[in-house]
């Protein structure tokens, strides 16, 4: 065999080897999923976030924006209350549990298994039907109304009209926050209707003469009237500086440290696009604006 023939055989062998190696590399990439430009793993998959109706509008809108950027990601956001969110994330039935309360405050939940991601703060206010002429209640008057001691608006300077109390269900984080910080932990035992959806509560207060309840500031519009508490308005500024006490962190809990799509979505919730724009636009308060901090026991400290 001549030299030329030998070199042709060597070249053929090298080409076979190169093709084989390229095939192996292509197979590994295919098994690992398509790699978008930049070498970052593609954001894809399904995720369910369940819980607090007070934070549901924010998470829904953020999810819509996130999915527009990541079309292979599918995020479903559901309400049901903070208790439901904590229970479902703890059991593995949901990927993220949205809650107005700390996991430590919910009985039957092993908080040590959950990781807390505080995404913002929500203020809550007492709301009444617009026909009620009262615009301020003291803490004691509020306690007396929600325990059934005061049953007519004329007893607090309003019209001669029966007070209709609308409660939230026992698993509601909004109810737990209102009870703890507006009523001082007193059991809200006044007879009344019970509704689990913030949107339904707003509609009922707006349409029921003499009605009173409470809502996250993000749900309050011109159809209901928000009341001052001890002369202090429920505003972002008064919440941020600690003057108005009825507020809660908006927690997004995961079971263990988040990875993949969960981590990507939670990172997005803390991004400038959400914190600097969406949070305030929708009536919530960015964590960075708070001048005070609160722990699971309700203790307040200045930042």
């Amino acid at each position: 065999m001549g030299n030329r023939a030998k070199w042709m055989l060597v070249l053929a062998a090298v080409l076979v080897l190169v093709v084989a190696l390229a095939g192996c590399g292509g197979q590994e990439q295919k098994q690992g999923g398509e790699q978008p430009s930049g070498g970052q793993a593609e954001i894809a998959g399904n995720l369910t976030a369940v819980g607090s109706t007070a934070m549901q509008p924010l998470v829904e809108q953020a999810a819509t924006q996130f999915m527009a950027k990541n079309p292979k990601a599918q995020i479903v956001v559901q309400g049901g209350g903070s208790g439901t969110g904590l229970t479902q994330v703890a059991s593995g039935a949901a990927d993220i549990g949205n809650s107005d309360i700390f996991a430590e405050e919910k009985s039957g939940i092993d908080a040590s298994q959950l990781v807390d991601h505080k995404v913002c703060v929500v203020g809550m206010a007492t709301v009444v039907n617009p026909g009620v002429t009262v615009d301020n209640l003291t803490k004691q008057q509020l306690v007396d109304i929600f325990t059934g001691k005061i049953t007519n608006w004329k007893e607090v300077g309003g019209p001669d009209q029966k007070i209709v109390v609308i409660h939230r269900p026992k698993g509601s984080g909004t109810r737990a926050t209102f009870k703890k910080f507006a009523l001082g932990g007193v059991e809200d035992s006044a007879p009344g209707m019970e509704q689990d959806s913030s949107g339904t509560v707003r509609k009922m207060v707006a349409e029921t003469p003499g009605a009173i309840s409470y809502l996250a500031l993000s749900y309050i519009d011109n159809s209901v009237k928000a009341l001052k508490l001890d002369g202090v308005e429920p505003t972002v500024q008064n919440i941020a500086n600690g003057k108005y006490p009825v507020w809660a962190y908006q927690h997004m809990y995961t079971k263990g440290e988040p990875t993949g799509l969960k981590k990507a979505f939670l990172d997005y919730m803390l991004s400038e696009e959400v914190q600097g724009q969406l949070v305030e636009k929708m009536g919530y308060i960015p964590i960075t604006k708070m001048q005070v901090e609160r722990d699971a026991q309700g203790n307040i400290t200045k930042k």
Side-chain angles (χ1 to χ4, degrees):
M1 183 181 294
N3 286 340
R4 182 185 174 108
K6 289 180 181 178
W7 278 111
M8 290 293 289
L9 284 173
V10 170
L11 183 59
V14 169
L15 286 172
V16 169
L17 182 61
V18 168
V19 171
L21 288 172
C24 289
Q27 186 178 16
E28 286 175 8
Q29 184 169 326
K30 189 175 182 180
Q31 288 173 347
E34 295 178 9
Q35 298 293 317
S37 60
Q40 296 179 346
E42 184 178 44
I43 297 173
N46 299 312
L47 185 152
T48 304
V50 180
S52 164
T53 59
M55 62 188 297
Q56 188 174 354
L58 172 65
V59 182
E60 283 179 338
Q61 184 58 42
T64 298
Q65 293 180 184
F66 182 86
M67 288 187 288
K69 294 173 178 292
N70 302 282
K72 291 192 177 181
Q74 181 64 38
I75 300 174
V76 176
V77 182
Q78 300 173 344
S82 298
T84 298
L86 290 169
T87 300
Q88 292 212 11
V89 74
S91 68
D95 299 297
I96 294 174
N98 298 329
S99 177
D100 305 333
I101 60 174
F102 285 88
E104 291 89 336
E105 298 179 80
K106 171 70 176 171
S107 60
I109 296 291
D110 183 358
S112 68
Q113 299 294 309
L114 302 180
V115 177
D116 185 6
H117 311 273
K118 298 183 185 75
V119 297
C120 61
V121 163
V122 65
M124 298 170 190
T126 305
V127 292
V128 296
N129 180 274
V132 176
T133 55
V134 171
D135 64 3
N136 175 71
L137 289 172
T138 66
K139 187 172 184 177
Q140 190 56 55
Q141 287 173 331
L142 204 57
V143 168
D144 289 345
I145 288 172
F146 278 89
T147 56
K149 291 180 182 177
I150 292 177
T151 58
N152 193 298
W153 283 111
K154 69 180 180 181
E155 298 176 68
V156 290
D160 183 3
Q161 186 177 48
K162 180 185 176 184
I163 296 174
V164 180
V165 176
I166 300 173
H167 293 290
R168 308 301 292 273
K170 294 288 186 184
S172 163
T174 303
R175 180 172 182 168
T177 299
F178 186 79
K179 177 181 171 181
K180 189 169 185 176
F181 300 112
L183 305 180
V186 174
E187 189 61 42
D188 45 348
S189 56
M193 296 176 279
E194 191 174 282
Q195 290 294 332
D196 65 350
S197 163
S198 296
T200 304
V201 168
R202 180 178 60 195
K203 187 173 188 293
M204 290 183 69
V205 171
E207 296 175 355
T208 307
I212 185 172
S213 191
Y214 42 90
L215 285 169
L217 298 189
S218 51
Y219 273 93
I220 296 175
D221 59 18
N222 292 331
S223 69
V224 295
K225 182 165 73 172
L227 302 185
K228 298 174 187 174
L229 178 59
D230 287 324
V232 181
E233 288 189 45
T235 64
V236 169
Q237 183 178 356
N238 287 335
I239 291 167
N241 63 26
K243 290 182 180 177
Y244 183 82
V246 193
W247 59 270
Y249 289 113
Q250 300 294 264
H251 309 263
M252 296 180 76
Y253 279 99
T254 55
K255 191 170 186 179
E257 290 292 341
T259 57
L261 178 57
K262 280 188 283 189
K263 185 177 187 311
F265 183 53
L266 288 166
D267 285 346
Y268 180 69
M269 291 297 301
L270 295 173
S271 70
E272 178 60 25
E273 185 171 340
V274 174
Q275 292 292 314
Q277 300 176 41
L278 193 60
V279 167
E280 291 188 85
K281 179 183 173 184
M282 298 190 70
Y284 302 84
I285 306 170
I287 290 287
T288 52
K289 280 205 168 181
M290 292 299 292
Q291 299 165 35
V292 294
E293 292 179 314
R294 179 186 278 158
D295 63 19
Q297 289 71 48
N299 301 312
I300 293 278
T301 55
K302 287 282 185 182
K303 279 190 175 181

